[in-house]
Amino acid sequence: MNEDNLLALRDVSYTYDGEDGQRVPVLQGVDFTIQKGSFVSVLGHNGSGKSTMAKLMNALLLPEGGTVLISGMDTKDGELLWEIRRHVGMVFQNPDNQIVGATVEDDVAFGLENMGVDPKEMRVRIDEALVSVGMDSYLQAQPHRLSGGQKQRVAIAGIMAMRPSVIILDEATAMLDPQGRMEVLNLARQLNRDEGLTIINITHFPEEAIYSDKVIVMNAGEVLMEGKPSEVFNEVDRLKQVGLDVPFAVRLRHALHSKGIDLPFVLHQEELVEHVCK
Ligand code: ADP
């Protein structure tokens, strides 16, 4: 395996047991690679298999067919389970389900205590993690008094303290208000840029995928498309056919094109405003 490839799914399939005893296939032939240090978005609407894929990526689920490799470690190897879990941190949708400590400090300490990290080292890691998510002045705060965005940042600090190689945000912004969404997304971008952390942002908001190195589009349990945001979002009709939206700037350009007005292809609203005002 190329050492730049942090994560690889090779022809992965997965099936759930349905209520009527039928087997329900939810992933088929999923095959992609994620490079170390990259920011990847997985885009797809509800039920397309994104969460199932996220769980396969940190061995919460094991593939039925194919292989999932994390830094060359096969998730099916039971002896590597805890090493894999330490490598791959997950942040889920509901911030309230992830907070376990009575204070922010206790919460970040929780995972480290489970890992048996010694108290001196723990102190260093907690402080570092809270600085990196910008929550160091909330050490003694009660998590339930924080905003949704702040709670997600504390959840991310808990993961950072375990020194992972990749953080998967599984719809981690979906329950937040616009400010909270920006807070979490900006933090993810900062951790990627400044600390070289690999980020996988699972989302159904196309606007969030603009900032990625790569977008993987899921539809009905399969990878529909994979590429740079500019490549993927240029395929407006193909995405529309499967009920997926594109960023606002692309949508507007597409609508104006049908009225005979041609604008350059841009993904950011700000750039679009600049072009229109020229
Ligand atoms: P997404 O994250 O894109 O919304 P999921 O991976 O959660 O997609 O779900 C994919 C499909 O698998 C959906 O049809 C969902 O109903 C089904 N599914 C998810 N979890 C289970 C489960 N525990 N048991 C049975 N079916 C499930």
Side-chain angles (χ1 to χ4, degrees):
M1 182 170 178
N2 177 339
E3 63 180 35
D4 287 340
N5 293 346
L6 178 63
L7 215 145
L9 273 72
R10 295 283 169 254
D11 197 18
V12 165
S13 59
Y14 192 82
T15 303
Y16 284 112
D17 290 322
E19 279 171 17
D20 49 6
Q22 295 281 76
R23 307 277 286 152
V24 187
V26 290
L27 292 178
Q28 305 101 37
V30 175
D31 198 291
F32 59 77
T33 300
I34 290 179
Q35 295 246 307
K36 204 169 166 180
S38 60
F39 191 118
V40 175
S41 292
V42 177
L43 187 66
H45 48 62
N46 276 346
S48 58
K50 305 184 299 298
S51 280
T52 304
M53 206 166 78
K55 290 180 187 134
L56 286 162
M57 292 196 274
N58 91 335
L60 278 171
L61 295 176
L62 297 177
E64 193 170 275
T67 311
V68 178
L69 295 168
I70 317 290
S71 293
M73 295 183 282
D74 189 330
T75 58
K76 280 189 184 140
D77 185 341
E79 286 185 12
L80 298 174
L81 184 67
W82 294 108
E83 182 60 7
I84 288 170
R85 295 258 171 93
R86 192 189 64 74
H87 259 282
V88 186
M90 299 256 294
V91 184
F92 297 98
Q93 186 169 1
N94 188 343
D96 291 320
N97 292 348
Q98 296 174 81
I99 304 282
V100 287
T103 63
V104 165
E105 181 178 18
D106 286 351
D107 197 72
V108 178
F110 182 75
L112 297 174
E113 279 164 1
N114 283 344
M115 275 168 69
V117 174
D118 82 70
K120 239 177 162 178
E121 168 74 7
M122 207 146 90
R123 180 74 269 147
V124 173
R125 290 203 194 188
I126 292 169
D127 290 343
E128 263 178 27
L130 286 170
V131 168
S132 67
V133 304
M135 290 294 290
D136 45 315
S137 54
Y138 290 83
L139 206 65
Q140 295 306 324
Q142 296 172 344
H144 70 268
R145 293 182 170 235
L146 302 176
S147 71
Q150 288 173 323
K151 283 180 195 165
Q152 289 298 54
R153 281 156 61 194
V154 172
I156 293 172
I159 292 168
M160 288 298 289
M162 296 203 257
R163 310 248 162 102
S165 350
V166 51
I167 295 189
I168 302 177
L169 304 164
D170 185 3
E171 296 277 9
T173 64
M175 289 181 74
L176 306 180
D177 60 17
Q179 193 199 324
R181 276 177 59 194
M182 273 325 285
E183 257 177 61
V184 172
L185 197 62
N186 284 341
L187 172 61
R189 290 171 64 200
Q190 175 210 315
L191 294 176
N192 172 254
R193 196 183 51 224
D194 301 343
E195 312 209 12
L197 204 69
T198 308
I199 302 281
I200 303 173
N201 187 33
I202 295 179
T203 183
H204 64 275
F205 296 116
E207 242 41 74
E208 285 192 9
I210 290 176
Y211 303 102
S212 330
D213 298 308
K214 173 153 94 172
V215 184
I216 295 169
V217 182
M218 295 293 297
N219 181 58
E222 293 179 340
V223 175
L224 178 75
M225 265 190 257
E226 184 185 342
K228 292 192 185 115
S230 56
E231 294 162 354
V232 165
F233 290 127
N234 211 5
E235 303 275 341
V236 181
D237 293 332
R238 204 162 154 216
L239 290 167
K240 263 193 184 160
Q241 271 168 14
V242 296
L244 279 171
D245 223 338
V246 294
F248 174 77
V250 179
R251 226 163 53 225
L252 185 61
R253 175 182 184 269
H254 202 66
L256 290 175
H257 178 74
S258 65
K259 306 245 176 273
I261 302 168
D262 281 318
L263 290 172
F265 181 87
V266 292
L267 292 167
H268 298 258
Q269 296 181 30
E270 301 74 29
E271 273 183 79
L272 184 71
V273 172
E274 274 174 34
H275 283 294
V276 173
C277 292
K278 259 187 205 162

